[in-house]
Amino acid sequence: RETTEIYTRSRPGALNRAWTLINDQRDGARAARLAAVSGGGGCFNCHSQQSCAVFCPNELNPTESITGLKRAAAAAALGGEI
């Protein structure tokens, strides 16, 4: 699957993984990944209500990662990276 297809119907777990990869220095697809998660159905669809953290079976807090994605995507858009 293409990166954009994976994140267009993103669930909190997928966005949490995207945040991990975007912060990995070895990841060469940062701009493409940020463009994918900022598209339709991506991180900007999250309303930060924390319900994913309440129901996460792994006791993670994807809302924090999604907030980071929102900030990184906005900075990348303003900086002309995406």
Side-chain angles (χ1 to χ4, degrees):
R1 287 164 129 186
E2 284 186 30
T3 306
T4 52
E5 183 184 335
I6 293 170
Y7 298 117
T8 23
R9 291 170 272 138
S10 296
R11 296 186 182 247
L15 293 171
N16 194 48
R17 179 67 178 147
W19 178 242
T20 302
L21 293 172
I22 286 169
N23 287 301
D24 186 350
Q25 299 296 331
R26 301 166 292 177
D27 183 37
R30 185 177 195 275
R33 215 174 296 282
L34 282 172
V37 299
S38 64
C43 63
F44 291 105
N45 278 359
C46 174
H47 298 288
S48 302
Q49 295 176 343
Q50 298 283 336
S51 62
C52 58
V54 172
F55 294 105
C56 181
N58 297 324
E59 298 181 8
L60 300 173
N61 188 353
T63 307
E64 291 179 6
S65 300
I66 294 168
T67 301
L69 284 174
K70 289 177 181 180
R71 289 181 181 153
L78 290 173
E81 186 180 343
I82 59 171

